[in-house]
Amino acid sequence: PHFIVYLPKSQSNICFNIDSEPGKILNLVSDPESGILVNGQLVGAKKPNNGKLSTYFGKLGFYFQKEDTKIEISTKDVTVSHRSRTSVLSWSDTAHVVNQSVLISMKKENAVTITLDKGMSFSVLLHRVWKKHPINVDFLGIYIPPTNNFSPEVHGLIGQFMQEPKIHIFNERPGKDPQKPEASMEVKGQTLTVSRGLQKDYRTDIVFGTDVPCWFVHNNGKGFIDGRYTDYFVPQLYSFLKRP
Amino acid sequence: SLSGESEETMGDVDQVTLYSYKVRSTITSRTATTIIQSKVVNHSPQPQNVVFDVQIPKGAFITNFSMTVDGTTFRSSIREKTVGKALYSQARAKGKTAGLVRSKALDMENFKTEVNVLPGAKVQFELHYQEAKWRKLGSYEHRLYLQPGKLAKHLEVDVWIIEPQGIRFLHVPDTFDGHFDGVPVVSKGQQKAHVSFKPTVEQQRICPSCLETMVDGELVVLYDVDREKKAGELEVFNGYFVHFFAPESLDPIPKNILFVIDVSGSMWGVKMKQTVEAMKTILDDLRAEDQFSVIDFNHNVRNWRNDLVSATKTQVADAKRYIEKIQPSGGTNINEALLRAIFILNEANNLGLLDPNSVSLIILVSDGDPTVGELKLSKIQKNVKQSIQDNISLFSLGMGFDVDYDFLKRLSNENRGIAQRIYGNQDTSSQLKKFYNQVSTPLLRNVQFNYPHPSVTDVTQNSFPNYFGGSEIVVAGKFDPEKLKEIQSIITATSANTELVLETLAQMDDLEDFLSKDKHADPDFTRKLWAYLTINQLLAERSLAPTAATKRKITKTILQMSLEHHIVTPLTAMVIENEAGDERMLADSPPQDHSCCSGALYYGSKVPPDPIPDWANASPTPVVPMPVEGRVLESTPPPHVMRVEND
């Protein structure tokens, strides 16, 4: 999956990819204090392309501890568990489901929005590919608005950026690839070489997406994210991140 | 059934021959139209009486009958009852009669025509009827009663099933004790299936040298449609729509259930034995989160526990022991028994002892009329209606033929439940269990279907207190195709753990293409199903009408619809006459408990459409587009390249 992190103070989009393997579960948001957890499980393409097997989010798990609600979103359906009871919704329906203070709005074959009372929301987009495509598989995208008020302790691959890191981008220069300029970026006490690139925001155009220019951090975001991406692997879909 | 034998290969020649007996059923989206046709030749030297006697499911609507006797054709027309009788009395056909008679068999009635046929004459009968297929315990059951009465030179049964939603499974169980193994031929596609049953004369024989036919029973076709894709299926066509709703993947809602069992003297013997047997299975089936108790009544009312108790193994075992010891005797005090059950549930509710998300059910099992206490049925109805709370549904099971089934039906329909007849002459225990299994898994409460667009009209019952797993709620209505190209529906409901709103959009051309491709598909199915539902629900509402004026108004509507849609209902009769109009027969429906949509598990109510609840109207999180700050310094890959940055 590719990540786009918008940093409001720096007015910059920083992006990175995580190249891992199918089945791995990445922690995206871990906020034990507000009892909010978001994990994503990777699914692989049907087969490698140019020797490389692409991976995507195939399943997303949301756990709202205080509301005793778990929401598992897969490319097949959406399962809502509240206390000990479960309802399964299908992507073929347009549905709204509310229990206690969690509202789930599904738009048929398109998107799920999860809204909590406390001004917290998450959007998940469904990318449905042609079933017979030799390589591509259905996959999901997750969008977390910067307005979500997590606790200051929030972490995770995405959660950590709720506390915006200071960055300084300088010395823009032509890159090895003439079409892709480079620059140096100071962040978290390190200086990284970043490349100018394009990522996609699919919320307004689910097929072609909207180009989002950004500064791309290589090596699975090393230097930009705390630690290494492998630090964000969790064993279960609803495991909180164990932080050092 | 036809008297006498037929031609060379099938017995002596001087009798009546059944030349062909053909049954063709087409089911298009749960709407079944069946045509039964038979051809007979009188080979005997003297006039013979020929009877055309077919069993049709109760609740089916006869729509057409024609008969050709020795070249003279008789056609049917649907008339208002008294008009029909008057026409008939003006020109009674000689040697010919027709009629609809109550059947002795389970849930069936007979259409019977008798004609006196001259030597050498040929007769052809053809009857059309339609019905809705109700989903029960996870499948639709189509039963065809085959009773040719004798060996037929051509015996052919064809069932075509066309389901735009997709056919999940289809099964033809053996109902002839293995005699016709391998004869039914099933071909099944994604959305269409065909079952043919065409035994040769030899295969029809009871034994190789016998002259009797083995074909005397039911051909049953079971099937279900694809469901995992979506909870509801909205089918729009020709100015009508039908909405099928049967969500599956929801956790059961806990139930508070009170069994109210008649143990009066008339229950003594097999009935009680079978009831106890069924109850033991039913109690074992309760879930841990359910609460229950048992009330047994005759002229006295007793309860196993004064309050509801959780269905733990211990409690269930104790309840079973209690039931086993019951000895039926004495009179029948239905009023007191029901008021006791209602009191227990109301009390528990008022004391906050019930799960707020639970469903409360009363299941009354009785085989007779009240003989002790309040005897006036309307008073009992009034007492029950006044004391029962809105969150309680009353289901009544009438055992045998002594019970006033109409009373039980009214009692249930006006208290959010339904009544069902339990036939004493069949395995009572399995009927009781089968009924219980239909209501044992409540999945949704307060289900309401809304069609907000003003040009949607004449919507059938659209509000239901419960939805039970394995069943299906069907709502239909009309719309103006000129004004509306697609229909929006909003279903609101409460599941075990959430409030639910389901929105569906459907347009006509979804089906147009599909139906046009199949010569068997009935393009009229939406209209037929809408009419079937509407008339059945009106018949039930008519029996609950609070005033004579209301009753008259409903009667008028039913009559008008019956005539418009050519349907034999309790208010119409079928006049069968020859072209000259000087020979007429009258097929009148018997006085019957025309239970609303026999087989339907729901008796809902009509409520005006509600808008989407506020909480569901919350516009999804505003899409804050990623800020696209200053353009990139250099040109980047053309935007159509579906690629993102990568290492």
Side-chain angles (χ1 to χ4, degrees):
Chain A
H2 67 263
F3 292 73
I4 309 171
V5 180
Y6 171 56
L7 302 174
K9 291 177 189 138
S10 322
Q11 295 253 310
S12 289
N13 293 316
I14 309 297
C15 40
F16 60 93
N17 288 355
I18 297 291
D19 269 332
S20 181
E21 57 209 59
K24 291 290 185 189
I25 300 173
L26 286 167
N27 172 258
L28 304 177
V29 175
S30 182
D31 189 352
E33 196 171 309
S34 47
I36 291 178
L37 172 79
V38 183
N39 289 334
Q41 182 164 39
L42 300 179
V43 66
K46 286 181 184 133
K47 62 184 185 190
N49 191 14
N50 303 331
K52 177 166 182 243
L53 183 69
S54 295
T55 52
Y56 311 86
F57 281 129
K59 187 180 286 183
L60 290 163
F62 295 82
Y63 178 36
F64 304 112
Q65 208 165 24
K66 295 193 169 111
E67 290 79 11
D68 190 4
T69 296
K70 288 178 178 168
I71 300 162
E72 180 183 307
I73 300 178
S74 75
T75 56
K76 187 173 171 300
D77 51 34
V78 175
T79 302
V80 181
S81 302
H82 178 50
R83 298 205 191 97
S84 61
R85 293 191 188 114
T86 298
S87 306
V88 180
L89 304 163
S90 129
W91 279 105
S92 302
D93 285 318
T94 294
H96 310 271
V97 171
V98 70
N99 65 53
Q100 209 158 334
S101 53
V102 179
L103 164 62
I104 298 132
S105 288
M106 280 185 79
K107 194 156 177 292
K108 176 175 181 173
E109 290 295 322
N110 176 273
V112 169
T113 303
I114 300 169
T115 311
L116 277 73
D117 270 356
K118 44 203 171 190
M120 187 83 76
S121 79
F122 304 85
S123 293
V124 174
L125 251 63
L126 169 66
H127 295 271
R128 190 74 89 199
V129 300
W130 174 47
K131 288 227 172 324
K132 298 191 174 67
H133 192 286
I135 296 178
N136 293 347
V137 290
D138 294 346
F139 65 97
L140 301 169
I142 176 171
Y143 295 80
I144 303 177
T147 50
N148 277 4
N149 48 6
F150 295 103
S151 84
E153 308 309 313
V154 64
H155 206 271
L157 259 183
I158 298 178
Q160 64 187 284
F161 297 107
M162 286 302 160
Q163 312 302 323
E164 181 175 342
K166 272 194 187 6
I167 65 168
H168 171 50
I169 293 174
F170 58 98
N171 183 15
E172 285 193 28
R173 54 197 183 266
K176 295 184 200 73
D177 174 344
Q179 299 217 1
K180 302 179 119 226
E182 281 181 356
S184 301
M185 177 170 85
E186 270 172 8
V187 62
K188 299 183 183 179
Q190 306 179 61
T191 302
L192 312 173
T193 298
V194 291
S195 304
R196 195 64 186 158
L198 275 183
Q199 298 280 41
K200 293 278 185 180
D201 172 354
Y202 289 99
R203 286 174 296 173
T204 47
D205 176 344
I206 188 86
V207 178
F208 293 101
T210 308
D211 286 346
V212 178
C214 62
W215 288 108
F216 182 75
V217 177
H218 298 270
N219 298 328
N220 297 302
K222 189 164 182 299
F224 178 58
I225 63 174
D226 290 344
R228 296 182 46 69
Y229 78 93
T230 50
D231 301 335
Y232 297 89
F233 285 153
V234 289
Q236 304 294 327
L237 195 59
Y238 295 111
S239 311
F240 275 92
L241 186 64
K242 297 216 175 347
R243 290 202 60 211
Chain B
S1 62
L2 295 136
S3 54
E5 287 317 321
S6 55
E7 247 161 53
E8 59 294 350
T9 54
M10 297 181 280
D12 40 343
V13 292
D14 62 346
Q15 286 308 321
V16 170
T17 300
L18 176 54
Y19 177 72
S20 71
Y21 187 86
K22 295 184 178 177
V23 180
R24 294 197 310 280
S25 256
T26 304
I27 303 174
T28 309
S29 270
R30 290 67 147 187
T31 311
T33 300
T34 299
I35 299 172
I36 301 178
Q37 183 205 74
S38 85
K39 289 180 184 170
V40 172
V41 183
N42 176 9
H43 284 285
S44 67
Q46 66 270 352
Q48 289 279 348
N49 247 9
V50 170
V51 173
F52 174 69
D53 177 2
V54 291
Q55 294 222 37
I56 64 174
K58 186 165 292 175
F61 282 144
I62 291 176
T63 55
N64 191 359
F65 173 74
S66 66
M67 179 172 76
T68 305
V69 183
D70 217 8
T72 305
T73 298
F74 289 75
R75 293 192 188 294
S76 67
S77 61
I78 307 294
R79 306 290 182 145
E80 194 273 331
K81 246 184 178 19
T82 49
V83 170
K85 283 182 175 133
L87 285 169
Y88 174 57
S89 57
Q90 289 161 14
R92 282 171 196 269
K94 295 162 199 54
K96 301 177 184 71
T97 62
L100 260 173
V101 291
R102 187 189 294 284
S103 158
K104 46 197 175 313
L106 182 60
D107 246 359
M108 305 291 273
E109 62 192 8
N110 281 61
F111 177 84
K112 196 167 181 173
T113 307
E114 186 153 359
V115 180
N116 188 277
V117 185
L118 297 175
K122 291 190 179 76
V123 185
Q124 171 174 315
F125 302 101
E126 185 163 303
L127 176 73
H128 299 217
Y129 66 84
Q130 71 189 49
E131 59 185 310
K133 303 289 44 164
W134 297 106
R135 187 165 181 252
K136 275 186 181 176
L137 304 175
S139 66
Y140 303 97
E141 192 178 68
H142 188 53
R143 309 177 82 92
L144 289 170
Y145 209 95
L146 305 177
Q147 207 180 26
K150 58 191 298 180
L151 298 170
K153 199 170 179 59
H154 302 282
L155 193 145
E156 298 177 11
V157 181
D158 287 291
V159 180
W160 289 275
I161 298 175
I162 297 110
E163 288 288 351
Q165 207 171 329
I167 298 172
R168 183 157 66 102
F169 74 83
L170 181 136
H171 172 53
V172 180
D174 169 30
T175 50
F176 292 98
D177 299 332
H179 186 94
F180 291 113
D181 276 358
V183 176
V185 176
V186 177
S187 48
K188 175 183 170 304
Q190 173 54 30
Q191 293 165 298
K192 299 170 186 173
H194 175 218
V195 177
S196 89
F197 175 72
K198 299 179 180 172
T200 62
V201 173
E202 291 319 310
Q203 289 170 324
Q204 295 171 42
R205 292 180 193 282
I206 285 185
C207 69
S209 58
C210 294
L211 297 179
E212 291 80 24
T213 177
M214 183 68 193
V215 183
D216 178 3
E218 290 181 321
L219 182 72
V220 179
V221 179
L222 295 171
Y223 78 94
D224 195 17
V225 299
D226 284 333
R227 292 181 189 285
E228 66 278 351
K229 290 200 194 79
K230 48 188 168 179
E233 170 81 7
L234 181 56
E235 295 181 1
V236 176
F237 200 69
N238 271 351
Y240 295 85
F241 70 85
V242 286
H243 199 167
F244 302 109
F245 181 67
E248 296 272 85
S249 36
L250 299 165
D251 264 2
I253 295 176
K255 28 184 214 288
N256 316 300
I257 188 162
L258 264 173
F259 300 97
V260 184
I261 302 171
D262 179 344
V263 294
S264 58
S266 56
M267 284 289 283
W268 200 84
V270 171
K271 277 188 211 170
M272 196 65 223
K273 190 164 166 293
Q274 298 252 333
T275 302
V276 169
E277 185 197 318
M279 279 305 298
K280 286 161 68 178
T281 311
I282 289 170
L283 292 173
D284 279 335
D285 192 50
L286 291 172
R287 295 184 184 87
E289 66 264 25
D290 293 339
Q291 298 195 75
F292 79 107
S293 187
V294 178
I295 290 175
D296 57 308
F297 70 96
N298 46 23
H299 45 287
N300 298 319
V301 179
R302 295 188 314 164
N303 26 268
W304 163 64
R305 287 278 190 286
N306 289 329
D307 311 306
L308 290 166
V309 297
S310 290
T312 61
K313 286 198 182 329
T314 322
Q315 297 287 16
V316 166
D318 192 77
K320 286 160 69 175
R321 281 192 292 275
Y322 175 84
I323 285 177
E324 279 167 341
K325 293 190 194 109
I326 289 173
Q327 290 303 321
S329 68
T332 308
N333 190 340
I334 290 183
N335 183 61
E336 274 313 304
L338 283 176
L339 294 182
R340 174 78 64 82
I342 292 166
F343 173 78
I344 289 175
L345 280 169
N346 288 350
E347 199 66 2
N349 195 34
N350 298 338
L351 295 173
L353 302 175
L354 304 184
D355 177 330
N357 276 334
S358 61
V359 167
S360 295
L361 311 172
I362 294 174
I363 296 188
L364 166 68
V365 180
S366 176
D367 76 332
D369 294 345
T371 57
V372 175
E374 181 54 64
L375 304 184
K376 211 156 166 282
L377 301 184
S378 55
K379 184 73 174 107
I380 296 175
Q381 270 180 251
K382 196 171 164 196
N383 292 344
V384 169
K385 190 148 177 66
Q386 276 174 350
S387 50
I388 197 167
Q389 285 184 353
D390 281 354
N391 64 333
I392 301 172
S393 299
L394 168 59
F395 292 90
S396 306
L397 298 176
M399 214 181 259
F401 286 98
D402 303 337
V403 71
D404 181 332
Y405 180 71
D406 260 337
F407 160 63
L408 295 181
K409 189 185 73 170
R410 286 196 304 276
L411 197 61
S412 299
N413 283 169
E414 64 183 6
N415 293 296
R416 294 164 297 283
I418 61 149
Q420 190 155 311
R421 198 188 272 288
I422 301 290
Y423 289 82
N425 57 346
Q426 315 265 333
D427 181 359
T428 308
S429 171
S430 71
Q431 290 177 66
L432 285 168
K433 281 185 273 186
K434 188 170 177 180
F435 174 79
Y436 172 74
N437 288 336
Q438 291 182 65
V439 299
S440 64
T441 311
L443 297 180
L444 292 171
R445 291 182 297 125
N446 308 326
V447 189
Q448 186 170 315
F449 293 69
N450 304 289
Y451 305 94
H453 199 283
S455 76
V456 169
T457 59
D458 300 281
V459 176
T460 57
Q461 287 172 359
N462 65 328
S463 174
F464 305 89
N466 305 302
Y467 160 71
F468 299 100
S471 70
E472 181 176 63
I473 294 181
V474 183
V475 176
K478 291 166 82 168
F479 72 101
D480 180 347
E482 299 308 312
K483 290 182 191 149
L484 206 54
K485 284 302 162 224
E486 65 179 8
I487 291 197
Q488 180 202 22
S489 88
I490 298 161
I491 301 174
T492 57
T494 306
S495 77
N497 61 358
T498 63
E499 295 297 320
L500 202 59
V501 171
L502 279 167
E503 289 176 60
T504 309
L505 277 178
Q507 46 259 343
M508 182 138 130
D509 45 26
D510 292 353
L511 270 179
E512 199 141 27
D513 181 41
F514 173 78
L515 293 172
S516 61
K517 282 182 189 146
D518 188 288
K519 66 176 189 289
H520 297 295
D522 179 353
D524 228 3
F525 82 92
T526 49
R527 176 190 66 77
K528 285 179 179 174
L529 193 47
W530 172 80
Y532 181 88
L533 270 176
T534 303
I535 291 175
N536 263 302
Q537 291 173 4
L538 286 172
L539 284 168
E541 286 163 28
R542 180 169 173 264
S543 70
L544 294 175
T547 66
T550 312
K551 187 161 190 170
R552 263 196 308 278
K553 186 165 170 279
I554 295 175
T555 302
K556 188 163 169 278
T557 310
I558 295 172
L559 178 58
Q560 189 186 339
M561 283 193 66
S562 307
L563 298 173
E564 184 186 327
H565 294 274
H566 303 288
I567 289 172
V568 177
T569 63
L571 304 178
T572 54
M574 181 187 265
V575 175
I576 303 152
E577 60 185 334
N578 59 359
E579 271 108 13
D582 56 6
E583 280 204 273
R584 287 186 183 127
M585 296 176 280
L586 184 72
D588 199 347
S589 54
Q592 59 189 358
D593 47 70
H594 205 291
S595 54
C596 161
C597 347
S598 72
L601 191 55
Y602 299 100
Y603 181 76
S605 53
K606 290 180 186 173
V607 296
D610 277 348
I612 289 191
D614 293 344
W615 60 262
N617 236 342
S619 56
T621 336
V623 175
V624 177
M626 291 285 176
V628 182
E629 81 261 33
R631 294 298 303 159
V632 282
L633 302 174
E634 271 74 23
S635 70
T636 52
H640 68 274
V641 173
M642 297 289 285
R643 187 174 57 74
V644 292
E645 279 325 301
N646 207 323
D647 274 336

